[in-house]
Amino acid sequence: MPESARLSASIPSVDPALQPRLVVTDLDGSLLDHHSYDFSPAAPWLARLKQMGVPVIPVTSKTRAELIPLREALGLTATPFIAENGAVIGLPPGWCHARLDRPGSGRDGVVIKHPGVDIDFIRARLKVWRERLDIRFTRMGEMSVPEVMELTGLDAVRARDARQREGSEPLLWDDTAAALETFRAALEGDGLELTQGGRFWHVMGRSADKGAAVEWLIKRFTALRGRAPVSLGLGDGPNDITMLEAVDQAVVIRGCHDLAVEPRNALLYRTDATGPAGWAEGVDYWWGRDDRRLATAEKGDAVVI
């Protein structure tokens, strides 16, 4: 459990409804339906959190290019985002530090941080290990747009956006479990790690997972706000585990898969519903009971970042 959670637990006089709050969430299979990308079951809670000034931060395997229209559709353009499973962090102006962050060059003024390694290095090492170990996999960068569309259900525009990688490379594994472990060990020697998503395995820098990126954003929030937030994380896949271990309260959303999701977090809830309905169920479980008290507190103490 994060240090902030242990400190809060040790001071019972502190009313958690008076602390600032923060939500970090996976997208596919969590806030978004795995197949249709619909989020309507979660929309009432999204609107409520926005009204209360609680940041909702997407933490996803998607690329920055994919997130641009999604952040607009979800109404999350004023909050940061974590893309490519932690390899890319985007900071809107309100989350930037005057001395530490250069002004953003994107159309929305977002400052981009790259905690991991460059995509060219990842692709070069994948080429080396595929030849040296004689293993079988296909990188997303090697797939055509129609192939990505068929695998993911994305349209042509979003499939092209999904191929615009900056700090991670998805791949389809087509070899044995033993070969996978040999491959994993080889990547570790390069400072890279392998994590499992819903459709793909993802290769990225060792220090660039979802959990590390979430911890970085929580520290940035605390530095700018002056108080550590109560953090809530929601996800449905193995690549969400580090994120769910970095927050105070965690929700494992029932997935449309048979993959084990076992984060080490004492404050853990597993939903009955899947997708955005499960997302709403998880937020309601942790925060629904004191929602009115939270709203009252936030009216007089709005989040300013």
Side-chain angles (χ1 to χ4, degrees):
M1 185 186 301
E3 185 66 21
S4 61
R6 290 196 292 270
L7 290 174
S8 296
S10 67
I11 310 175
S13 61
V14 175
D15 185 346
L18 299 178
Q19 291 183 263
R21 297 195 176 198
L22 186 70
V23 175
V24 293
T25 177
D26 177 49
L27 291 182
D28 290 358
S30 298
L31 182 55
L32 303 177
D33 181 87
H34 190 72
H35 303 289
S36 68
Y37 296 96
D38 175 52
F39 65 92
S40 56
W45 257 115
L46 281 176
R48 196 177 307 167
L49 292 168
K50 186 172 185 178
Q51 182 180 19
M52 294 186 293
V54 177
V56 177
I57 299 172
V59 185
T60 177
S61 61
K62 292 184 181 298
T63 65
R64 174 162 49 130
E66 288 179 277
L67 276 174
I68 290 174
L70 278 174
R71 290 173 70 230
E72 293 175 355
L74 292 165
L76 302 179
T77 55
T79 63
F81 61 83
I82 296 170
E84 297 190 39
N85 284 314
V88 178
I89 299 174
L91 299 174
W95 282 69
C96 293
H97 191 290
R99 289 188 291 106
L100 300 178
D101 304 313
R102 294 181 178 179
S105 58
R107 71 182 191 190
D108 52 2
V110 171
V111 171
I112 300 298
K113 304 285 188 179
H114 294 98
V117 296
D118 183 80
I119 186 61
D120 291 335
F121 173 79
I122 294 173
R123 288 173 175 167
R125 297 311 297 168
L126 288 177
K127 182 177 186 295
V128 167
W129 290 120
R130 180 160 54 187
E131 295 174 355
R132 188 173 298 178
L133 300 175
D134 191 24
I135 52 180
R136 299 184 304 276
F137 62 79
T138 304
R139 297 189 295 103
M140 179 179 281
E142 298 168 327
M143 300 174 191
S144 66
V145 169
E147 286 173 329
V148 174
M149 292 171 63
E150 183 178 355
L151 280 169
T152 62
L154 298 172
D155 60 29
V157 172
R158 291 189 293 174
R160 282 194 293 270
D161 289 342
R163 296 175 76 251
Q164 295 185 37
R165 318 301 301 185
E166 297 178 70
S168 69
E169 183 71 272
L171 55 87
L172 289 178
W173 185 252
D174 190 30
D175 215 311
T176 66
L180 182 68
E181 292 311 307
T182 302
F183 178 51
R184 188 194 303 275
L187 291 174
E188 288 176 356
D190 288 330
L192 302 174
E193 67 177 27
L194 188 65
T195 187
Q196 188 174 19
R199 296 182 178 91
F200 298 92
W201 288 90
H202 299 261
V203 180
M204 67 200 74
R206 186 181 299 150
S207 61
D209 62 30
K210 286 187 175 185
V214 165
E215 288 177 354
W216 190 92
L217 276 179
I218 290 174
K219 289 179 181 177
R220 172 58 63 93
F221 179 101
T222 303
L224 294 176
R225 181 72 191 272
R227 283 188 292 172
V230 175
S231 55
L232 172 64
L234 305 98
D236 76 314
N239 62 334
D240 297 318
I241 290 175
T242 58
M243 173 184 73
L244 297 176
E245 292 178 341
V247 294
D248 299 306
Q249 300 165 330
V251 174
V252 174
I253 297 169
R254 186 163 68 88
C256 301
H257 53 69
D258 297 323
L259 303 174
V261 184
E262 302 290 344
R264 295 185 298 272
N265 191 317
L267 300 180
L268 177 65
Y269 175 73
R270 294 182 181 274
T271 71
D272 293 319
T274 62
W279 192 93
E281 177 189 338
V283 178
D284 194 61
Y285 176 84
W286 285 117
W287 293 0
R289 287 168 293 184
D290 60 6
D291 172 48
R292 187 171 302 174
R293 293 160 62 229
L294 175 61
T296 300
E298 291 292 343
K299 283 180 181 178
D301 190 21
V303 176
V304 294
I305 61 175

